[in-house]
Amino acid sequence: MSTATATTTTKERILDAAEEIMLQKSFHSVGLNEILSAVKVPKGSFYHYFQSKEQFGVELLKHYVADASAFKRKALLTTELSADPAERLAAYYDLAIANLMGNSCQCSCLVAKLASEVATFSDDMRAVLADGMREWRGFVEKVIVEGQEKGVFRKELNAAATAAMAQDLWMGANQRMQVEKSVTPLRAAAMFIRTYLSPA
């Protein structure tokens, strides 16, 4: 194995471990020792991969957003869930709800988990969050446009504005889900979005 490959593998192991730990806790409450112990990497090696904890946070969010974007792109912009855009969007929300139910209503999105915590702490981390959320809105916007072209969504809607509304509604419902330990807010949000998009 080359040095470059070994370095990449170790760095990704650190990022994967940090993602799991921070979903359980928060960015500021997790120390480097906890992360490095999980992957059995010496503390001194951390600065070989990251210049600071903030730069580590930027890399962590980029790593998470890239993986999440690949999943969302496949789910929303291919016919794997359904060839019908209305059914595909509904299946996407249903899949997310099922996963959260299986995870005892614990937040499984690092962007939603860390957004309010790091947005005022680091502008570089905030920018990664903003770019990720913008990309994800774009996926939903494309599904809406496709649905409008196929006549399964209301043609008079502004696709970009509707995608933004859907994202805001979903993230708000996600927060209430965590507080109430119930997926009921998510089911209500998914139903509202589906009804709002449907032609009269």
Side-chain angles (χ1 to χ4, degrees):
M1 180 181 291
S2 69
T3 302
T5 302
T7 300
T8 301
T9 301
T10 302
K11 183 176 181 179
E12 288 180 348
R13 283 174 53 224
I14 294 172
L15 293 172
D16 287 339
E19 180 183 317
E20 292 300 317
I21 293 170
M22 287 185 187
L23 280 171
Q24 300 287 332
K25 299 182 178 181
S26 67
F27 183 76
H28 288 104
S29 70
V30 176
L32 298 180
N33 283 338
E34 183 175 2
I35 298 167
L36 297 174
S37 294
V39 291
K40 296 179 173 55
V41 174
K43 186 174 182 179
S45 300
F46 176 84
Y47 295 102
H48 174 70
Y49 304 106
F50 312 101
Q51 295 176 355
S52 64
K53 189 175 180 182
E54 180 183 0
Q55 195 257 330
F56 162 71
V58 170
E59 293 288 332
L60 173 64
L61 289 173
K62 285 182 178 179
H63 179 72
Y64 175 80
V65 166
D67 286 346
S69 292
F71 170 79
K72 293 175 189 292
R73 186 182 297 107
K74 185 176 182 181
L76 292 169
L77 302 185
T78 73
T79 58
E80 184 172 279
L81 293 179
S82 176
D84 180 282
E87 292 180 3
R88 189 187 318 143
L89 188 60
Y92 169 76
Y93 287 128
D94 287 345
L95 181 61
I97 291 169
N99 287 337
L100 287 163
M101 284 180 67
N103 200 32
S104 302
C105 296
Q106 181 174 310
C107 182
S108 58
C109 174
L110 202 62
V111 169
K113 175 78 174 182
L114 300 185
S116 60
E117 181 185 4
V118 304
T120 56
F121 161 70
S122 165
D123 197 56
D124 288 341
M125 292 176 72
R126 181 204 59 75
V128 177
L129 292 169
D131 287 345
M133 292 173 69
R134 189 179 304 111
E135 183 176 29
W136 300 347
R137 282 197 305 276
F139 297 157
V140 176
E141 180 182 349
K142 287 180 179 179
V143 176
I144 293 171
V145 169
E146 181 188 350
Q148 289 173 322
E149 291 172 348
K150 293 183 176 179
V152 296
F153 290 150
R154 290 164 53 194
K155 294 183 182 297
E156 73 274 14
L157 294 175
N158 179 290
T162 303
M165 178 274 294
Q167 184 178 67
D168 292 344
L169 182 62
W170 186 256
M171 290 191 74
N174 195 296
Q175 186 174 54
R176 190 154 73 87
M177 173 208 69
Q178 295 175 69
V179 172
E180 298 180 0
K181 291 295 180 184
S182 169
V183 296
T184 298
L186 294 176
R187 285 178 173 151
M191 180 58 70
F192 178 87
I193 294 166
R194 186 170 191 168
T195 303
Y196 184 77
L197 288 168
S198 297

